[in-house]
Amino acid sequence: MPELPEVEITRERIGPALLGRRIEGVHTTKPSYFFLTPPQRLRKRLVGRTVQALERVGKYLVAPLDDGSRLVLHLGMTGQLFVEGVASVRLLSAAGRAALAPEKQGHFSPDAHTHLWISFEDGGPAVIFRDVRKFGKVLWLAPGEKTPRLERLGVDALRAGGADLFAASRTRSAAIKSLLLDQSVIAGVGNIYADEALFLAGLRPTRAARRLSRPQCGTLAAALQQVLRRSIETGGSSISDYVAPDGRDGAYQDERRVYARKGEPCDACGTAIRRIVIGQRSAHFCPRCQA
Ligand SMILES: [Zn+2]
């Protein structure tokens, strides 16, 4: 978390708050592994620049700036990118949530987890990047500069077809679930949507990738498209910390068929959903509907 749909929603909703605005100030926390570009350098490079576009590459957000450089953001596990002034209880620590009177819950003010705060010359709302666990990333790229983080990504999950999956899986003895999570094969898929797509395709997550037939790869690619697009449509999955830039919650978590539903009945056949571990990641499936 967050996966492609949540990053895409973040892109769509934070875009208007970034595009065409000249950066006046950049406030950061101390240097840490969160900053792939040291804060001091980041400030120097960003102040005075204007964001020209906001693109999504896999789970990364890439903002080309008016001098040809690029700002790259990754939300990691618990990253929250949002506009100043939004309200969401997800922006508070558990202690903060408990301490606040209900009517005050959701009003955000900068805290120790607010790693990046970008203000603009027009005096409008700032754009804020907060991350409790700091697995998120901020990186500035000089004009023309490349990074393996983007270069090594496979085909974007929203464009991945059966042929892509079939070609990528021929030499892989790994489980199909692990292949779906491999960002160098298909970029953007994480645990939730991999589990949901495998359910929809009727395939067990443990199936050896290279044993899938061409039609099965086609079915799986179509299932992946379906769950990702449906999630974007419903505002993504608001599980744990994910918050959309405008503070609204998504609704896809209510449509999950298998993910994090261990022991609950499959809504297609009533069999209890199982949870197993594949390659140190959990996988959820229906032992009856998925073969
Ligand atoms: Zn079932």
Side-chain angles (χ1 to χ4, degrees), residues 18-21 50-55 63-69:
L18 276 173
L19 299 192
R21 299 178 73 193
T50 302
V51 177
Q52 296 202 307
L54 188 61
E55 297 150 5
L65 307 173
D66 59 346
D67 63 349
S69 67

Side-chain angles (χ1 to χ4, degrees), residues 199 258 265-273 285-290:
F199 174 81
V258 287
C266 166
D267 57 21
C269 75
T271 306
I273 300 298
F285 68 98
C286 171
R288 191 158 178 191
C289 294
Q290 294 171 257

Side-chain angles (χ1 to χ4, degrees), residues 267-286:
D267 57 21
C269 75
T271 306
I273 300 298
R274 281 184 60 194
R275 177 189 184 275
I276 54 171
V277 174
I278 304 172
Q280 295 174 317
R281 304 290 301 272
S282 67
H284 308 80
F285 68 98
C286 171

Side-chain angles (χ1 to χ4, degrees), residues 129-156:
F129 191 173
R130 181 174 184 265
D131 190 350
V132 171
R133 291 177 70 182
K134 283 209 295 197
F135 290 126
K137 293 282 173 266
V138 177
L139 170 66
W140 177 85
L141 294 173
E145 189 183 350
K146 292 180 173 178
T147 172
R149 287 175 178 273
L150 299 178
E151 296 294 314
R152 71 178 176 216
L153 293 176
V155 57
D156 191 86

Side-chain angles (χ1 to χ4, degrees), residues 2-289:
E3 305 180 23
L4 185 151
E6 292 76 33
V7 179
E8 180 61 22
I9 290 155
T10 300
R11 187 192 71 78
E12 287 171 6
R13 297 192 192 165
I14 202 93
L18 276 173
L19 299 192
R21 299 178 73 193
R22 202 167 137 94
I23 297 170
E24 182 184 60
V26 175
H27 307 276
T28 68
T29 46
K30 286 183 299 187
S32 69
Y33 53 84
F34 180 82
F35 296 101
L36 296 177
T37 301
Q40 200 182 352
R41 186 155 186 249
L42 199 61
R43 281 194 289 274
K44 201 172 151 194
R45 298 302 184 186
L46 294 183
V47 170
R49 299 276 63 83
T50 302
V51 177
Q52 296 202 307
L54 188 61
E55 297 150 5
R56 183 188 54 75
V57 182
K59 298 183 205 172
Y60 287 88
L61 287 171
V62 181
L65 307 173
D66 59 346
D67 63 349
S69 67
R70 292 179 293 166
L71 176 66
V72 180
L73 305 173
H74 193 281
L75 296 176
M77 295 284 287
T78 54
Q80 301 169 321
L81 189 62
F82 57 98
V83 181
E84 185 184 5
V86 305
S88 168
V89 289
R90 291 176 199 283
L91 295 174
L92 298 170
S93 65
R97 285 175 213 181
L100 282 178
E103 67 275 14
K104 291 221 173 142
Q105 285 192 1
H107 293 273
F108 177 75
S109 51
D111 58 7
H113 307 299
T114 307
H115 301 297
L116 188 62
W117 181 290
I118 301 176
S119 59
F120 299 90
E121 285 184 358
D122 60 20
V127 168
I128 300 162
F129 191 173
R130 181 174 184 265
D131 190 350
V132 171
R133 291 177 70 182
K134 283 209 295 197
F135 290 126
K137 293 282 173 266
V138 177
L139 170 66
W140 177 85
L141 294 173
E145 189 183 350
K146 292 180 173 178
T147 172
R149 287 175 178 273
L150 299 178
E151 296 294 314
R152 71 178 176 216
L153 293 176
V155 57
D156 191 86
L158 280 184
R159 288 191 295 273
D164 297 308
L165 262 183
F166 188 73
S169 59
R170 292 312 88 189
T171 55
R172 311 274 179 141
S173 54
I176 183 60
K177 170 72 187 280
S178 302
L179 186 86
L180 291 178
L181 296 181
D182 185 340
Q183 301 299 299
S184 70
V185 176
I186 294 179
V189 183
N191 231 13
I192 299 175
Y193 302 104
D195 281 0
E196 295 298 316
L198 286 165
F199 174 81
L200 215 57
L203 295 167
R204 280 212 190 193
T206 46
R207 288 279 288 266
R210 66 170 175 221
R211 295 203 186 274
L212 293 191
S213 67
R214 197 180 279 274
Q216 283 173 328
C217 287
T219 304
L220 181 54
L224 199 52
Q225 298 286 323
Q226 190 179 328
V227 296
L228 293 172
R229 290 185 192 284
R230 176 61 188 159
S231 181
I232 293 171
E233 208 173 278
T234 58
S237 297
S238 291
I239 298 174
S240 88
D241 293 277
Y242 173 70
V243 61
D246 49 9
R248 276 187 286 163
D249 272 358
Y252 190 78
Q253 64 278 8
D254 301 331
E255 298 192 10
R256 284 170 297 128
R257 312 285 298 273
V258 287
Y259 180 78
R261 291 194 63 232
K262 180 190 170 189
E264 293 176 34
C266 166
D267 57 21
C269 75
T271 306
I273 300 298
R274 281 184 60 194
R275 177 189 184 275
I276 54 171
V277 174
I278 304 172
Q280 295 174 317
R281 304 290 301 272
S282 67
H284 308 80
F285 68 98
C286 171
R288 191 158 178 191
C289 294

